[in-house]
Amino acid sequence: MGAASFNGLNELLNNKRALKELLLLEKERRGIERDKLLFVGVANVASYRWCAVKSLLASKRGELSFFAAYLEDRIKYSLELGYVDSVPTSKEKLLDVGDEVTLDDIERLLAKRGELEIIPEPVGTDEAPPMIAGELLHWSKAERYPTIRWNFPWRGYVVVGVPDGITDSFVYEFKTTGNDFLLRFIKPVAFAQADLYGYFFRRGTKRVQVYVREGGRVLTWMDDVASDNAEGTLQRFKRLEEGEEPSPPKKWKCKKCEFRRECMHYQRA
């Protein structure tokens, strides 16, 4: 990618107003109402297995980011693959960039990525805030595989995702949790996320690992990708957005949830 194209793309991706205009234009082009979701993330959809309402609220809050990721990937990969030689200035043409990119192209780009460099274990994770500690543990405990971000159409949605790893035979998902009690609730989310990645990236096997901080154990599962679990999670998420009443989560999950003030169940409690 030329410097001018790279700079122009970065300016666009950092311009929220311009991104919002493009998002609304893309919804109009697809016949999607403005207030309906079009771009969603795999991790948020999988989190339906933790809390349905949080899954939906996080998706609505993050739609612009998922759209930006979709736009960035389509443009960068098109430039890398030689389908275009510059970033168009026309909004319509900009949104058309990437239409030629196939999943076979994504596989070729993935093959070029190679394995990531292993990062030494960071110090001080015990004192870090939970979200930061989780990220640090992810880098220090997770296995290393190449990966790539891409998007997939599914029944009116564009589903954006980047697995923790992709090999020729399996997708890899890594999560951290505090103890065995929480493990029971994190494991279904991890499996749903891995199944979604396997479903979209056409892999038959999933490798799931969960690091349990209490005891310092890494638990590993190798299993077939369950397409029915992936489709079922997507279908439940879609029905929820369409107005289906969700089951309330365990009350203790609400205590530190960032969506408490927006949540119908929390307000009723």
Side-chain angles (χ1 to χ4, degrees):
M1 184 187 301
S5 292
F6 185 83
N7 291 336
L9 179 57
N10 280 343
E11 288 178 9
L12 171 63
L13 295 173
N14 290 318
N15 187 331
K16 282 192 174 182
R17 182 176 178 179
L19 280 174
K20 286 179 181 178
E21 290 177 356
L22 283 170
L23 173 57
L24 292 176
L25 176 58
E26 184 64 6
K27 287 187 176 183
E28 181 182 331
R29 284 166 30 122
R30 293 175 182 240
I32 305 293
E33 296 178 23
R34 286 187 166 206
D35 61 342
K36 296 294 184 181
L37 281 172
L38 174 56
F39 295 91
V40 298
V42 167
N44 280 345
V45 173
S47 71
Y48 184 100
R49 302 291 183 173
W50 171 267
C51 173
V53 177
K54 182 178 180 179
S55 172
L56 180 60
L57 293 176
S59 296
K60 289 183 176 180
R61 182 184 293 183
E63 184 178 29
L64 190 64
S65 296
F66 298 127
F67 171 64
Y70 159 89
L71 200 62
E72 178 181 18
D73 294 343
R74 281 166 57 94
I75 294 171
K76 283 188 173 180
Y77 299 165
S78 293
L79 288 162
E80 185 175 351
L81 291 162
Y83 289 133
V84 296
D85 54 17
S86 62
V87 179
T89 55
S90 160
K91 291 180 181 179
E92 291 281 354
K93 290 183 178 179
L94 186 67
L95 292 170
D96 287 337
V97 171
D99 285 349
E100 305 91 343
V101 179
T102 66
L103 193 52
D104 287 338
D105 287 326
I106 298 303
E107 293 287 356
R108 287 193 288 272
L109 293 176
L110 173 63
K112 290 171 59 178
R113 298 299 187 256
E115 293 195 4
L116 299 173
E117 179 183 357
I118 296 178
I119 298 176
E121 181 176 352
V123 297
T125 56
D126 290 341
E127 293 75 27
M131 184 174 294
I132 301 300
E135 292 176 358
L136 295 175
L137 286 168
H138 186 285
W139 284 110
S140 64
K141 303 297 184 183
E143 296 173 350
R144 295 289 179 257
Y145 303 102
T147 191
I148 193 167
R149 187 176 64 193
W150 191 233
N151 60 85
F152 305 87
W154 188 87
R155 298 190 187 179
Y157 291 132
V158 176
V159 186
V160 180
V162 51
D164 288 324
I166 315 176
T167 74
D168 290 342
S169 57
F170 65 82
V171 289
Y172 175 64
E173 175 61 22
F174 178 89
K175 290 195 180 297
T176 66
T177 193
N179 51 50
D180 287 337
F181 172 78
L182 292 173
L183 174 64
R184 290 185 294 160
F185 299 94
I186 292 296
K187 183 180 174 183
V189 179
F191 271 55
Q193 197 163 336
D195 285 331
L196 285 163
Y197 288 135
Y199 176 78
F200 284 122
F201 281 97
R202 301 186 303 194
R203 296 298 191 273
T205 305
K206 59 178 179 276
R207 180 174 180 82
V208 178
Q209 290 191 316
V210 178
Y211 176 73
V212 184
R213 292 193 294 274
E214 187 177 276
R217 296 173 297 136
V218 175
L219 305 178
T220 304
W221 296 268
M222 287 286 290
D223 204 351
D224 292 341
V225 166
S227 295
D228 57 344
N229 187 33
E231 291 176 349
T233 303
L234 287 161
Q235 288 165 358
R236 289 183 179 92
F237 179 87
K238 185 172 180 61
R239 290 199 300 267
L240 176 65
E241 196 209 351
E242 291 173 346
E244 182 176 274
E245 182 74 10
S247 300
K250 302 289 184 182
K251 289 185 178 180
W252 56 264
K253 293 182 179 181
C254 303
K255 290 181 180 179
K256 296 183 179 180
C257 179
E258 62 184 303
F259 297 98
R260 290 194 307 274
R261 294 181 180 178
E262 305 166 55
C263 176
M264 63 186 79
H265 289 298
Y266 185 78
Q267 296 300 326
R268 292 173 187 167

